[in-house]
Amino acid sequence: FAFGGCVCAVMIVNFGMNPILALLFATFAGMLAGFVTGALHTIFEIPAILAGILTQISLWSINLRVMGKSNIPLLKTNTIFSWLTDATGISNAIAGVILGGIIIVLIIMILYWFFGTELGSALRATGNNEAMIRALGVNTGRAKLLALIISNGLIGLSGGLIVQSQKYADINAGTGAIVIGLAAIVIGLAAIVIGEVILGKVISFWMKLSAAVVGSIVYFVIRGIVLQLGMDANDMKMLSAIIVALALAVPVMSAKIRAKRAYSPKGE
């Protein structure tokens, strides 16, 4: 996340690059980081979590090398958000909502198309049942590598967008990003499970893609409400952990309740 933001800022400030093109470089930076993590995991068989931690630790130093200092301001440069605010006169916050919404819709459409292809289906199957898809002749190592490249490319793009929105890049921008991302996904998945229980049918794939976006919004809404109620900001990390734990517990408890209801003494 921070790597994509740092690369984006450097491209705009130091090289005078077009903000849209700078976002492509941010995406490529994220893909490169994902490739390193994937290579450590699939080629050198380093556990996935440890491989990600190693990449993240090294990126702090790399970000400092890329920027040459701890932060870079973009106050005097054009961004995709300043283009919209200058053209329409709206605030930066509204511009962020508009452009963010457009980009999210485009990404979901692209991912929906990609995961419907043969390659995309192989990636989904690798995540669902690695042993089964390996038995069908798919190289799961390459599938994992590609999945990490794509996902981290999107993370790098997110970092570039945040940098252009807040008008500065900082090497510590990635702090807490893992918790936020995890909370968004987990809350979204919990919402899917609840929706399937209530509606009594399987949620479609495009809705599952959208669930991560909805989950992130719900997460920040909960944080905002709690802060408005007077909670100490120093306790936010504990609150984030509680939110994630509850969201993880919901699917498990739902499954247990359904299993208990389906059970009968006579085995019917």
Side-chain angles (χ1 to χ4, degrees), residues 16 22 34 53 82 86 90 98 110 120 135 164 179 197 237 259:
I53 292 174
S82 64
D86 293 342
I90 60 177
I98 294 174
I110 293 172
Q164 292 196 31
V179 176
V197 172
K237 289 187 180 296

Side-chain angles (χ1 to χ4, degrees), residues 1-3 33-34 36-37 40 48-63 152 155 171-179:
F1 182 83
F3 187 37
V36 172
T37 301
L40 290 174
I49 295 178
L50 181 56
I53 292 174
L54 291 173
T55 304
Q56 187 178 18
I57 291 173
S58 63
L59 281 176
W60 193 92
S61 299
I62 294 174
N63 290 338
N152 282 274
I155 294 170
I171 58 172
N172 295 314
T175 303
I178 293 177
V179 176

Side-chain angles (χ1 to χ4, degrees), residues 145-243:
L145 183 61
L146 179 59
L148 283 166
I149 290 173
I150 294 173
S151 60
N152 282 274
L154 294 175
I155 294 170
L157 173 62
S158 301
L161 287 169
I162 291 297
V163 163
Q164 292 196 31
S165 175
Q166 64 188 14
K167 285 282 191 174
Y168 72 90
D170 191 277
I171 58 172
N172 295 314
T175 303
I178 293 177
V179 176
I180 295 172
L182 178 62
I185 295 173
V186 170
I187 292 173
L189 291 175
I192 289 174
V193 172
I194 294 172
E196 289 180 345
V197 172
I198 295 174
L199 299 177
K201 61 180 180 180
V202 178
I203 303 298
S204 61
F205 181 60
W206 74 267
M207 292 182 68
K208 293 181 179 179
L209 288 174
S210 304
V213 179
V214 176
S216 64
I217 296 173
V218 171
Y219 172 74
F220 280 104
V221 167
I222 293 174
R223 283 178 48 138
I225 292 174
V226 172
L227 285 175
Q228 287 292 326
L229 293 176
M231 182 177 182
D232 190 339
N234 294 324
D235 294 330
M236 287 308 300
K237 289 187 180 296
M238 179 181 67
L239 174 65
S240 299
I242 293 173
I243 293 173

Side-chain angles (χ1 to χ4, degrees), residues 4-218:
C6 292
V7 169
C8 182
V10 168
M11 290 299 172
I12 293 175
V13 175
N14 295 356
F15 296 95
M17 185 175 290
N18 182 289
I20 297 178
L21 188 58
L23 288 176
L24 295 179
F25 273 84
T27 304
F28 178 76
M31 294 173 70
L32 183 61
F35 173 80
V36 172
T37 301
L40 290 174
H41 175 54
T42 60
I43 298 175
F44 300 104
E45 298 184 358
I46 297 175
I49 295 178
L50 181 56
I53 292 174
L54 291 173
T55 304
Q56 187 178 18
I57 291 173
S58 63
L59 281 176
W60 193 92
S61 299
I62 294 174
N63 290 338
L64 194 57
R65 292 278 186 177
V66 169
M67 296 200 300
K69 49 187 176 181
S70 60
N71 57 73
I72 293 179
L74 285 78
L75 298 175
K76 297 181 180 180
T77 60
N78 287 323
T79 65
I80 60 173
F81 299 97
S82 64
W83 285 347
L84 183 59
T85 55
D86 293 342
T88 60
I90 60 177
S91 65
N92 191 65
I94 297 176
V97 173
I98 294 174
L99 289 176
I102 294 173
I103 292 171
I104 286 172
V105 170
L106 289 175
I107 289 175
I108 289 178
M109 290 174 62
I110 293 172
L111 289 177
Y112 184 80
W113 166 81
F114 171 74
F115 284 115
T117 63
E118 183 176 350
L119 179 59
S121 298
L123 262 64
R124 291 174 62 188
T126 301
N128 289 330
N129 193 328
E130 184 177 348
M132 180 274 294
I133 196 66
R134 189 189 296 115
L136 294 177
V138 174
N139 188 321
T140 55
R142 292 180 182 177
K144 291 179 182 179
L145 183 61
L146 179 59
L148 283 166
I149 290 173
I150 294 173
S151 60
N152 282 274
L154 294 175
I155 294 170
L157 173 62
S158 301
L161 287 169
I162 291 297
V163 163
Q164 292 196 31
S165 175
Q166 64 188 14
K167 285 282 191 174
Y168 72 90
D170 191 277
I171 58 172
N172 295 314
T175 303
I178 293 177
V179 176
I180 295 172
L182 178 62
I185 295 173
V186 170
I187 292 173
L189 291 175
I192 289 174
V193 172
I194 294 172
E196 289 180 345
V197 172
I198 295 174
L199 299 177
K201 61 180 180 180
V202 178
I203 303 298
S204 61
F205 181 60
W206 74 267
M207 292 182 68
K208 293 181 179 179
L209 288 174
S210 304
V213 179
V214 176
S216 64
I217 296 173
V218 171

